[in-house]
Amino acid sequence: MAPTPIFAADVAYFQDKFERGFQEAIYVLGADHGGYAKRLEAVGKAISGGETEVIVRFCQLVKLMRGGEPVKMSKRSGDFITLREVVDEVGSDPVRFMMLFRKNDAQLDFDFKKVTEQSKDNPVFYVQYGHARCCSVLRQAALEPGDAKLDDDELEKKADLSLLADSGELELIAKMAEWPKVVEAAADTHEPHRIAFYLHELASSLHGHWNRGKEMPHLRFIDAGNAKLTLARLALVRAISLVLASGLSILGVNAPEEMR
């Protein structure tokens, strides 16, 4: 059987990657292309002599929903929705985050209504709102009377982190300490969903602690009667904002400073 144009393009693509010195070639294929993996692995061995590893990751189909109801499509009749149309309707941030907020071999139900809701049930909003909330706290602190500096250098020098003793604060610190390992594991296993999962967990811990502060004022990030504790808590908030922004950047998602 003569090689298909698609297969010929894959051969040329791998040849180019090999000649440019790559040690890994990662292919992302649909779940219905399971038989194609062996062919790609054979190409890799034939061209590189085993020097470049061929890695194939299969992704399940995305099921489009609107308010819980399936969006009907048919390839036979030419009735389908393109990725460009989805991005144009809901924006790139929800598409990128939700596509990564699952394991690659898990099916995704993408609901147009859910991914644009401003609620905790919308993962991308929940994470972005966490970053915006941190920025809001820092802006509010800058308006408070006093001579405390809020730039990163001053927070690092003057914040006494030993004052952070509440269980919610310690939970946030422990969660942030996991961040380097999460990035490393995501890269080593080719599983970017680990980052999306982690960001959602960190944002959940932040919002949970924030809600505790509503009921117990002494846990609020800004304590007008205790400047040293406030400075320590602001350092914590700044650190959370940096981790959230870093993770969203890796996913190609914006980290807004305000959300209305």
Side-chain angles (χ1 to χ4, degrees):
M1 180 182 294
T4 65
I6 294 177
F7 181 62
D10 285 332
V11 173
Y13 173 75
F14 183 87
Q15 178 76 39
D16 177 68
K17 296 283 284 188
F18 175 66
E19 291 176 352
R20 286 189 286 148
F22 286 88
Q23 296 180 327
E24 293 181 341
I26 302 175
Y27 292 82
V28 180
L29 304 178
D32 54 342
H33 288 73
Y36 206 68
K38 294 297 184 182
R39 183 182 294 186
L40 291 173
E41 291 170 358
V43 168
K45 290 180 181 179
I47 294 177
S48 72
E51 292 183 27
T52 298
E53 180 183 7
V54 173
I55 300 169
V56 180
R57 292 288 182 263
F58 293 100
C59 289
Q60 292 293 330
L61 300 177
V62 177
K63 187 177 181 181
L64 296 180
M65 313 283 287
R66 196 180 294 276
E69 295 295 327
V71 177
K72 295 182 179 180
M73 292 184 287
S74 172
K75 289 191 293 184
R76 179 173 297 179
S77 63
D79 182 18
F80 58 89
I81 297 176
T82 65
L83 178 59
R84 169 54 59 190
E85 290 174 310
V86 176
V87 172
D88 288 344
E89 181 169 339
V90 303
S92 61
D93 285 351
V95 172
R96 284 174 173 162
F97 193 93
M98 293 306 298
M99 290 291 287
L100 293 171
F101 195 60
R102 59 161 183 161
K103 296 181 179 180
N104 63 281
D105 58 355
Q107 183 171 310
L108 170 64
D109 289 343
F110 187 94
D111 194 309
F112 285 90
K113 182 178 180 181
K114 183 177 180 179
V115 301
T116 54
E117 288 180 349
Q118 292 191 347
S119 74
K120 66 178 182 179
D121 295 327
N122 178 2
V124 62
F125 169 80
Y126 202 54
V127 174
Q128 287 183 317
Y129 187 53
H131 182 266
R133 174 163 273 176
C134 289
C135 294
S136 175
V137 171
L138 296 171
R139 283 195 303 271
Q140 181 183 347
L143 298 176
E144 293 290 320
D147 58 356
K149 301 293 184 180
L150 294 179
D151 60 85
D152 291 349
D153 288 339
E154 289 297 319
L155 287 174
E156 183 177 357
K157 292 177 183 177
K158 297 182 177 181
D160 182 1
L161 301 182
S162 67
L163 298 175
L164 301 175
D166 177 74
S167 60
E169 295 166 344
L170 296 177
E171 177 185 333
L172 285 164
I173 293 172
K175 177 56 66 174
M176 283 191 291
E178 299 174 9
W179 174 233
K181 289 291 186 180
V182 169
V183 176
E184 183 179 1
D188 288 343
T189 60
H190 309 118
E191 295 182 339
H193 69 270
R194 291 173 181 248
I195 292 177
F197 286 2
Y198 169 84
L199 294 177
H200 190 263
E201 291 171 0
L202 178 59
S204 179
S205 295
L206 169 66
H207 295 311
H209 188 64
W210 174 280
N211 291 331
R212 290 178 67 218
K214 289 183 178 180
E215 301 175 0
M216 296 176 281
H218 68 281
L219 294 180
R220 293 175 182 174
F221 293 121
I222 299 176
D223 185 342
N226 193 331
K228 289 185 178 180
L229 181 57
T230 294
L231 199 61
R233 287 174 172 172
L234 292 178
L236 173 64
V237 170
R238 177 58 177 154
I240 296 170
S241 74
L242 289 172
V243 173
L244 290 174
S246 177
L248 288 170
S249 176
I250 291 174
L251 301 182
V253 177
N254 291 307
E257 297 186 0
E258 289 184 275
M259 297 185 74
R260 299 179 181 177

